[in-house]
Amino acid sequence: MSQVVTETMVRVENVHKSYGRGAAAVHALRGVSFELPRGELVALKGRSGSGKTTLLNIVGGLDAPDEGRVTVDGKDLAALDEDGLLALRRDRVGFVFQSFGLIPILTAAENVGVPMRLRRAHPREREERVELLLSLVGLADHAAQRPGELSGGQQQRVAIARALANNPALLIADEPTGQLDAETGHAVMELLRAVVRSEQVTALVATHDSTLLDLADRVLELRDGEIGEG
């Protein structure tokens, strides 16, 4: 019998996370379980302080749960040492944050190329990938501009391109439209949906903007530390 290849990119099983001790403890996650299929855009909604960022950090290997298990691209995160987690974040997971996080003195093209420099990609490979990604996010004509010369929406597009630099299997975005106006935020969410299709990645996008949820393939809701279908 041939081996069945799993179509699950992320599996979260009974994850708990608390901060503090005793009566003052804050229970951010209370037995969260879900799966993300490969190639889907999944929105994670919940009010401010509901634990969305905590959950994203755990899925992305930036933080560890108190209890439970997280598997990303077939790898049990608890079984990885610091070097293994670093390699996972560098090669298999891309991050997009609300604050953009671009380096002010670098051009858009140079910002996108940073992750490939860190893994010492060949310059020609890096240049071709940067050109492709800036074209994908509609900024081919802005490659030489620095972040301060770009609008908020354009900066977020550069951040998305940078997150895709190393061909990640999983894209994690934490409130990527939080600093943008409604129209620009909608355009960025549509871009993320297009990226999922064209780059064949799985995306987990946290948002509190209900107008963006219809662009997702599926919606998960985090409420009182527990997860459910939105």
Side-chain angles (χ1 to χ4, degrees), residues 70-215:
V70 178
T71 305
V72 175
D73 200 20
K75 294 179 174 62
D76 183 349
L77 299 194
L80 300 177
D81 60 14
E82 283 302 316
D83 287 341
L85 287 170
L86 179 63
L88 178 81
R89 294 193 298 264
R90 182 189 64 214
D91 300 332
R92 305 303 292 159
V93 182
F95 295 92
V96 180
F97 302 103
Q98 182 181 145
S99 60
F100 313 146
L102 302 177
I103 301 172
I105 63 172
L106 299 184
T107 65
E110 289 167 342
N111 267 284
V112 175
V114 165
M116 287 178 282
R117 286 183 180 275
L118 293 176
R119 68 173 177 86
R120 295 182 172 85
H122 189 280
R124 180 174 296 177
E125 174 195 349
R126 186 176 69 242
E127 290 169 7
E128 290 177 352
R129 180 70 175 161
V130 167
E131 184 177 353
L132 173 67
L133 290 173
L134 286 177
S135 178
L136 177 67
V137 300
L139 292 177
D141 294 335
H142 299 272
Q145 291 181 270
R146 291 179 171 81
E149 301 170 317
L150 301 172
S151 69
Q154 289 172 329
Q155 289 183 61
Q156 190 60 289
R157 287 171 178 266
V158 174
I160 291 170
R162 181 186 57 189
L164 295 169
N166 286 338
N167 293 289
L170 173 64
L171 186 65
I172 293 176
D174 191 2
E175 300 280 5
T177 64
Q179 293 193 35
L180 307 175
D181 62 73
E183 182 178 355
T184 305
H186 198 274
V188 166
M189 193 70 172
E190 287 186 325
L191 172 63
L192 286 170
R193 184 174 63 175
V195 162
V196 166
R197 302 293 185 265
S198 64
E199 293 285 300
Q200 298 183 332
V201 302
T202 300
L204 179 60
V205 182
T207 181
H208 64 270
D209 190 339
S210 60
T211 63
L212 303 179
L213 300 178
D214 62 333
L215 296 174

Side-chain angles (χ1 to χ4, degrees), residues 27 44-53 175 207-209 221-225:
H27 302 287
L44 176 65
K45 73 174 184 178
R47 61 176 176 76
S48 179
S50 63
K52 298 191 302 294
T53 296
E175 300 280 5
T207 181
H208 64 270
D209 190 339
E221 182 173 12
L222 193 58
R223 182 184 299 172
D224 298 325

